[in-house]
Amino acid sequence: MKLSLRWVALLRDERGLAHEELDWPGGDLAALYAELRKRHGFSLPPERVLVALNEEFAQWTDEPRPGDEVVFLPPVAGG
Amino acid sequence: MSNFQLQDGALDEGQLAAELVHAGAGALVGFAGRVRNHHEGRPVLALDYEALDALCRKEGARVLDEALQRFPVMAVRCVHGLGHMEPGDCAVWVGVLAVHRREAFTAASWIIDEVKRRLPIWKCEHYADGTRQWVNCLACAHGTEDSHV
């Protein structure tokens, strides 16, 4: 399935992209981050990352559907 | 208009306070979060803020709705600036109107804590030595807390 990935902050720097379309065989968001972390060498372990699906906070056990937008959120630093 | 907003650039604290008016309110507590010129002993020249806009607006509105449920206050507002900022710039502003001061202080403190903890906003610090760093991310990558309130 095709997923739309948006990269922000530190993860955008480490990925070197702001957006991409990804072919993903399926599985939950934890598996997706694990695969992409291995592929791109992200420094942040999953316990320091949150995940958003279609502009709402999601759970690592959620499984994205075709066309969904996924954003992995590095530790926030507002204020 | 939502009481939570994102805005490009630094905020005008005076204007924000002047806009928060209610004849029945005896207390306005405003908190301004300003850009510091140092971080962990390193001189900071500038910051860049970014947000995941749609989710940030939703979560910001939820924080303010929850504040109105939790505390006996009359009005709440929060604005966060995005983009490039320099020391002294106001990056975030929280304002609370209440009949009396105590609940206004309490609500304002709760709101800024929740904003810093929950909103998908990131800041990249630019240092005098030419390097830059995403705040909270370096130590987090090594599994330790690095929260600067």
Side-chain angles (χ1 to χ4, degrees), chain A residues 48 76, chain B residues 39-40 133-140 144-148:
Chain A
R48 292 294 179 184
V76 299
Chain B
H39 178 72
E40 294 183 339
Q133 181 179 308
W134 291 99
V135 173
N136 288 345
C137 285
L138 185 62
C140 289
T144 57
E145 288 294 332
D146 179 29
S147 179
H148 298 274

Side-chain angles (χ1 to χ4, degrees), chain A residues 18-76:
Chain A
H19 296 93
E20 66 182 301
E21 300 291 318
L22 179 79
D23 265 319
W24 171 243
D28 66 14
L29 292 167
L32 178 61
Y33 186 74
E35 167 62 25
L36 293 172
R37 189 181 182 212
K38 186 169 67 178
R39 197 180 293 181
H40 303 301
F42 297 146
S43 60
L44 292 167
E47 58 268 25
R48 292 294 179 184
V49 176
L50 297 176
V51 59
L53 195 56
N54 300 326
E55 300 186 343
E56 194 50 85
F57 291 111
Q59 303 296 316
W60 284 113
T61 51
D62 291 344
E63 298 195 8
R65 295 189 290 189
D68 279 354
E69 183 196 65
V70 179
V71 190
F72 297 105
L73 312 179
V76 299

Side-chain angles (χ1 to χ4, degrees), chain B residues 15-35:
Chain B
Q15 182 187 337
L16 289 165
E19 288 173 359
L20 202 53
V21 174
H22 190 294
L28 162 65
V29 167
F31 168 78
R34 292 179 176 171
V35 176

Side-chain angles (χ1 to χ4, degrees), chain A residues 6-19 33 42-44 48-50 71-78, chain B residues 48-53 82 119-125 132-138:
Chain A
R6 178 174 167 185
W7 299 105
V8 296
L10 176 66
L11 287 170
R12 183 183 58 244
D13 285 355
E14 292 183 344
R15 178 65 187 96
L17 287 173
H19 296 93
Y33 186 74
F42 297 146
S43 60
L44 292 167
R48 292 294 179 184
V49 176
L50 297 176
V71 190
F72 297 105
L73 312 179
V76 299
Chain B
D48 283 307
Y49 281 95
E50 70 174 75
L52 195 55
D53 287 39
L82 298 176
L119 267 53
I121 296 175
W122 300 274
K123 64 183 164 202
C124 187
E125 290 182 330
R132 62 195 273 278
Q133 181 179 308
W134 291 99
V135 173
N136 288 345
C137 285
L138 185 62

